[in-house]
């Protein structure tokens, strides 16, 4: 029986080079986070909680521990709480324009939380919870439970 000789074409070589390149890029991206571990840092981030009652904001106290996940593992300390009158954009059918209108008896709450996080090239996390701008994050403490969006992330002033 005649043995068939394997012939490589230009397309075969290109496919092999592309596969090697994809593996190399993946290794470069993932290797630092897998082998170097993560640095622990203190980070302050601000969570915007919209349209709540004033009493709800009063339940959040500076120095309280806030849980930032549904599993009660991840958390941080509240370092600042600010409120502003809640506003929403409404359509004015009389003149056909949109206007900003204040919502009666509602406030927007800006909660600044300091937490120990793991910082890698790919993420900033406290436990299993991602800390990144735009992330919807649960915020729970004694007397309140809600969620809001992270609007700012900064290095802690102390650390």
């Amino acid at each position: 029986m005649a043995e068939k000789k394997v012939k490589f074409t230009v397309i075969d070589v290109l496919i092999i080079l592309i596969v090697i390149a994809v593996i190399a890029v993946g290794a470069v991206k993932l290797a630092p986070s897998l082998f170097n571990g993560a640095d622990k840092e203190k980070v302050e981030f601000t969570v915007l909680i919209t349209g709540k009652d004033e009493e709800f904001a009063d339940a959040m106290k500076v120095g309280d521990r806030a849980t930032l996940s549904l599993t009660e593992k991840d958390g941080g300390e509240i370092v600042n709480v600010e409120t502003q009158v809640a506003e929403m954009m409404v359509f004015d059918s009389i003149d056909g324009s949109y206007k900003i209108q204040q919502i009666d008896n509602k406030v927007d709450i800006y909660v600044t939380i300091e937490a120990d996080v793991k910082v890698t090239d790919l993420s900033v996390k406290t436990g299993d919870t991602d800390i990144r701008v735009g992330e919807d994050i649960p915020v729970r403490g004694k007397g309140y439970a809600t969620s809001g969006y992270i609007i700012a992330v900064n290095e802690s002033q102390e650390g």
Side-chain angles (χ1 to χ4, degrees):
M1 190 172 214
E3 290 188 30
K4 197 171 190 181
K5 207 172 188 185
V6 177
K7 293 183 182 181
F8 281 107
T9 64
V10 174
I11 294 179
D12 294 333
V13 172
L14 284 175
I15 291 173
I16 292 170
L17 288 176
I18 290 172
V19 169
I20 290 172
V22 167
I23 291 171
V25 168
V28 168
K29 289 281 190 186
L30 293 177
S33 64
L34 293 176
F35 298 116
N36 291 344
D39 298 332
K40 282 277 198 177
E41 291 185 25
K42 282 199 177 286
V43 170
E44 286 185 359
F45 55 95
T46 303
V47 179
L48 171 60
I49 303 166
T50 58
K52 298 294 182 185
D53 294 327
E54 186 70 43
E55 294 81 23
F56 190 89
D58 292 340
M60 296 180 176
K61 305 266 189 257
V62 173
D64 283 352
R65 179 127 178 99
T67 302
L68 305 172
S69 71
L70 301 175
T71 61
E72 298 197 20
K73 293 189 302 184
D74 313 329
E77 180 181 336
I78 296 175
V79 294
N80 190 22
V81 179
E82 297 177 13
T83 60
Q84 290 183 354
V85 176
E87 298 177 333
M88 75 180 334
M89 187 176 289
V90 295
F91 181 71
D92 185 354
S93 60
I94 296 172
D95 65 5
S97 65
Y98 287 93
K99 296 182 180 176
I100 302 292
Q101 181 178 357
Q102 292 185 349
I103 304 172
D104 295 334
N105 302 321
K106 298 290 182 183
V107 293
D108 290 341
I109 307 167
Y110 295 85
V111 182
T112 303
I113 300 171
E114 182 180 70
D116 290 324
V117 298
K118 288 184 257 177
V119 179
T120 65
D121 292 340
L122 302 175
S123 68
V124 176
K125 289 186 172 195
T126 176
D128 295 330
T129 305
D130 285 325
I131 304 299
R132 60 178 173 233
V133 173
E135 186 76 19
D136 185 21
I137 187 169
V139 178
R140 300 185 306 152
K142 188 173 183 176
Y144 60 89
T146 188
S147 67
Y149 291 96
I150 298 175
I151 59 170
V153 178
N154 299 305
E155 289 184 26
S156 177
Q157 300 301 323
E158 294 176 10

